[in-house]
Amino acid sequence: SKFWVEFYGHKAQVDGSWKTFPCLDKEENSECPFCQAKDIFLKRYRDAKAAGDTAAADMNKELVKKFSEKKMYILKVIERGKEDEGVKFWRFNHSYDKGGTLDKIMNAIKVVKHDVTDPETGRDLIINISRNQMKIPVVQSISYPLESTKLSEDENQTNEWLSDDRTWRDVYSTRNYDYLDIVVRGYTPVWSKEQEKFVAKEKLEAENEVPSSNIEDPSSEIEMGFSKEEDTNSVPVVDTTQSTVKVTEEEEEDDLPF
């Protein structure tokens, strides 16, 4: 019925790069350290507001935003001109001002008054992209050609694409509780061969517990579907020494497939 799926994730900067992590609470129905941190600061925000402490309330309000889950959408698409690359997954943010990417797509569909997703009589969508002041690609507008277009003139190719049953879980890895707990605390998760678990890179380097040869870069970890360890009841402790935590524009980057 819908040509997209809703997705909830958390955005955080890890080792200098912005990453999106599936929310364990929304997507896995399990404890999520991001959501636990959000609840902590939400309570502090309400207490500060009740006490009339505007500065503390504002600081905790920003922290609630920082750790809150973000609503996104994921579409499976074919990029014209690069059909040989096959089905791609496009993830982008929900926009509460009704001016987001999905809103632009739906507006184009409303104007054309046609099922653009039909493999025989549908239409391509023309996505116009430019970079903002942060050099991040942003969808400016979405339009459509006048003519209908088949998904492919090759019937075998069409069937191959339509039978692709992969979901976002096959392309976006879900990290376990311990990994995300390290991220929430502001550290960089790395896999320790010696301890056989994810640990904070900064703590290992500071304590000089293990040689660098026993640490693996998490970017090389491609295993999907991590599960939370049993003993993970500790509440995340987040460094709040900075008076204000701002959500930058870089966090709003859409995961463009092209």
Side-chain angles (χ1 to χ4, degrees), residues 49-215:
K49 191 173 183 181
D53 190 340
T54 303
D58 290 343
M59 181 190 73
N60 284 287
K61 183 178 180 180
E62 292 298 324
L63 288 165
V64 170
K65 293 180 182 178
K66 176 180 179 179
F67 293 106
S68 293
E69 69 278 7
K70 307 295 190 297
K71 183 178 180 180
M72 308 174 207
Y73 303 103
I74 300 176
L75 279 65
K76 296 170 77 172
V77 302
I78 295 295
E79 182 182 0
R80 291 304 188 196
K82 296 184 179 179
E83 287 89 346
D84 59 310
E85 296 179 356
V87 177
K88 297 180 179 181
F89 288 74
W90 180 15
R91 183 180 63 201
F92 52 82
N93 299 304
H94 170 73
S95 177
Y96 290 96
D97 65 2
K98 304 300 182 182
T101 300
L102 184 61
D103 300 289
K104 291 182 174 71
I105 292 175
M106 298 307 295
N107 287 338
I109 292 175
K110 183 178 180 180
V111 171
V112 77
K113 297 179 181 179
H114 182 70
D115 179 10
V116 300
T117 68
D118 188 287
E120 292 294 323
T121 63
R123 301 194 188 200
D124 295 338
L125 292 179
I126 303 171
I127 304 169
N128 301 300
I129 302 169
S130 63
R131 293 184 180 272
N132 62 15
Q133 62 269 30
M134 302 290 292
K135 305 301 182 183
I136 297 171
V138 176
V139 174
Q140 293 292 334
S141 63
I142 295 179
S143 57
Y144 55 88
L146 295 177
E147 304 82 11
S148 296
T149 309
K150 286 186 177 181
L151 182 58
S152 174
E153 295 296 335
D154 185 336
E155 185 176 350
N156 292 331
Q157 183 69 87
T158 297
N159 292 334
E160 179 183 336
W161 288 340
L162 293 177
S163 62
D164 187 324
D165 59 357
R166 291 176 301 157
T167 70
W168 66 262
R169 296 179 185 276
D170 296 308
V171 295
Y172 298 121
S173 61
T174 300
R175 297 300 186 178
N176 69 355
Y177 184 100
D178 290 343
Y179 184 102
L180 297 182
D181 184 52
I182 295 170
V183 174
V184 166
R185 295 172 189 274
Y187 299 114
T188 304
V190 292
W191 181 259
S192 171
K193 294 179 181 178
E194 185 174 285
Q195 299 183 43
E196 296 185 343
K197 65 177 183 179
F198 282 106
V199 295
K201 177 181 178 181
E202 293 81 359
K203 289 187 175 181
L204 284 180
E205 292 175 343
E207 298 169 3
N208 196 27
E209 289 184 354
V210 294
S212 58
S213 60
N214 286 335
I215 303 175

